[in-house]
Amino acid sequence: MTAHRTPHPRTPHHRPRTPRHRPRTVLAILAAGGLLALTGCGTQTTAAPAASASHPAPPGEGRTLRATQVAHVTDPHQATGRTLLEGPVLDEGGDLYVVDVTAPAGEPKVISVDVTTGKHKGVYTDKTGAYTSAQLSPYDGRLYLTDYTGSVVSIEPDGSDPRTFFSGEVDGSATNLDDIAFDDEGNLYVSDLHGMKPGEATGRIVRIDRDGAKATVLADGLAHPNGVMFDPKLRGLWISELAENTVSYLLLDADKTTVTSQHEAIHVDAGVAQTDSIAVDADGNLYQALHGRPAMAVYSPDGERLATVELPAKAAKGLESATNVAITPGGTKAYMTVSGPDGGYVFRFTALAQGIRQSNGG
């Protein structure tokens, strides 16, 4: 079904949708020798000026949370000319898993990182997957990977026993799956970019039952939805629309099968950057990753800009996007994936509140 957008007053942070808010970039899917190459989490960025990592956050961006490097995980691949880390998620032992969206066949597509030593190793690859996120299921403990080409694959955390959990059309249309959120019962809520032509708003949020047998559209008509995550009480979903630089809130019914109301909650003033993935902490604060700037914007659940996560100036050179974050459940150590021409990295910062399951991956 199509969720109803409730009216809201038009303020500088609730801007009308007009053609001038079209994305500055469009999806690039390049077939080269059978290899699918993706740039950005669904978009191809042109070279943009590095966004002031050397300066304190400007007025309106809250305080600065400085991040430090944990690991240099990947370099640009010769086959694709790029690398892009996404989907950080911590297991119970504290190891971090990330995916490399642009990894070609045979090179690691899921990588584990020791956040203490920075050492890392590939744990899974295949021939065709373009994995854009990773999330551990609270139902079966397996690692679930969204494949941009239209499927969800699950593996054991050691990379063994790969299974296609879901594949195919939803409501008669092909999917371009991006991020995942789980409810406590193990059902999946997935952002579906569903085409990336400038000016189009055909993206969707799709619910997939935990057995993979049924997929339904919770919301559609979205401008390239990317991040999706539950609030701490699992009453509703925060979603980001990359093409509009907005964060919306979708209130769900008790069964979490229907959107009862929907509204644009935050407009992210990000300049050249666009809204990527989302995480929340125990206090309900939102961590909004920025594609096109190696930084994250942090908001209260009431929409107040609390902080900006920044890299030191020297470390920020050659890096363009911070795609996602995992906050340690029960702790405040946060690990974000950052990528650019200089490679794919993991950086650490201190979150504003403790992590919970909804802080970890997606």
Side-chain angles (χ1 to χ4, degrees):
M1 66 167 283
T2 301
H4 174 66
R5 293 182 181 270
T6 56
H8 55 76
R10 293 293 180 184
T11 71
H13 292 282
H14 293 92
R15 297 175 181 172
R17 296 176 183 269
T18 67
R20 68 175 180 273
H21 289 296
R22 291 178 180 178
R24 66 183 177 85
T25 59
V26 296
L27 173 68
I29 303 178
L30 305 176
L35 175 69
L36 176 72
L38 290 171
T39 307
C41 197
T43 64
Q44 180 178 13
T45 48
T46 56
S52 64
S54 61
H55 298 88
E61 292 201 356
R63 61 176 174 157
T64 297
L65 304 178
R66 192 67 65 189
T68 58
Q69 182 179 320
V70 172
H72 180 178
V73 181
T74 57
D75 292 308
H77 304 285
Q78 184 175 3
T80 62
R82 57 185 63 90
T83 184
L84 183 70
L85 297 188
E86 253 283 15
V89 59
L90 292 152
D91 66 13
E92 291 183 354
D95 283 336
L96 184 75
Y97 292 85
V98 299
V99 295
D100 184 353
V101 184
T102 64
E107 295 191 31
K109 297 187 176 185
V110 181
I111 304 164
S112 68
V113 181
D114 185 322
V115 296
T116 301
T117 65
K119 293 182 179 179
H120 49 88
K121 63 180 180 180
V123 297
Y124 178 73
T125 190
D126 59 22
K127 293 182 179 179
T128 60
Y131 299 112
T132 53
S133 69
Q135 180 69 281
L136 287 165
S137 168
Y139 176 66
D140 60 17
R142 290 171 63 87
L143 190 65
Y144 282 69
L145 313 170
T146 46
D147 184 349
Y148 181 82
T149 61
S151 64
V152 179
V153 173
S154 75
I155 58 175
E156 290 294 332
D158 64 2
S160 63
D161 190 26
R163 306 174 190 171
T164 299
F165 169 76
F166 172 82
S167 182
E169 296 182 341
V170 177
D171 279 4
S173 297
T175 61
N176 297 119
L177 304 180
D178 199 348
D179 283 4
I180 307 174
F182 280 98
D183 63 24
D184 285 345
E185 288 70 46
N187 302 300
L188 289 76
Y189 302 76
V190 186
S191 55
D192 176 15
L193 290 164
H194 197 243
M196 291 284 289
K197 293 181 180 179
E200 287 190 356
T202 58
R204 306 180 291 188
I205 300 297
V206 176
R207 184 186 190 273
I208 307 175
D209 290 355
R210 73 183 185 193
D211 61 4
K214 182 181 180 182
T216 56
V217 176
L218 287 182
D220 60 11
L222 303 174
H224 312 167
N226 194 309
V228 56
M229 189 54 61
F230 275 100
D231 60 30
K233 294 184 179 180
L234 278 77
R235 293 176 178 173
L237 292 166
W238 292 106
I239 66 167
S240 63
E241 294 181 66
L242 182 144
E244 294 287 346
N245 270 7
T246 58
V247 178
S248 295
Y249 184 71
L250 281 60
L251 183 65
L252 304 180
D253 66 357
D255 295 330
K256 299 179 179 63
T257 57
T258 302
V259 174
T260 60
S261 69
Q262 177 178 341
H263 69 277
E264 293 178 8
I266 300 167
H267 185 91
V268 180
D269 293 320
V272 299
Q274 296 169 287
T275 50
D276 207 296
S277 300
I278 296 177
V280 298
D281 63 23
D283 288 351
N285 299 315
L286 284 75
Y287 295 75
Q288 176 61 66
L290 298 177
H291 175 59
R293 176 181 176 185
M296 299 193 77
V298 187
Y299 294 89
S300 77
D302 295 324
E304 178 188 0
R305 181 74 169 257
L306 300 176
T308 303
V309 183
E310 297 275 12
L311 276 56
K314 185 176 180 181
K317 291 181 179 179
L319 299 178
E320 294 176 344
S321 296
T323 55
N324 208 337
V325 66
I327 306 172
T328 307
T332 57
K333 290 182 179 178
Y335 301 91
M336 68 176 179
T337 44
V338 185
S339 302
D342 197 44
Y345 292 76
V346 173
F347 281 78
R348 178 172 51 222
F349 65 93
T350 300
L352 298 184
Q354 290 188 348
I356 52 178
R357 184 174 63 78
Q358 289 89 342
S359 313
N360 189 24

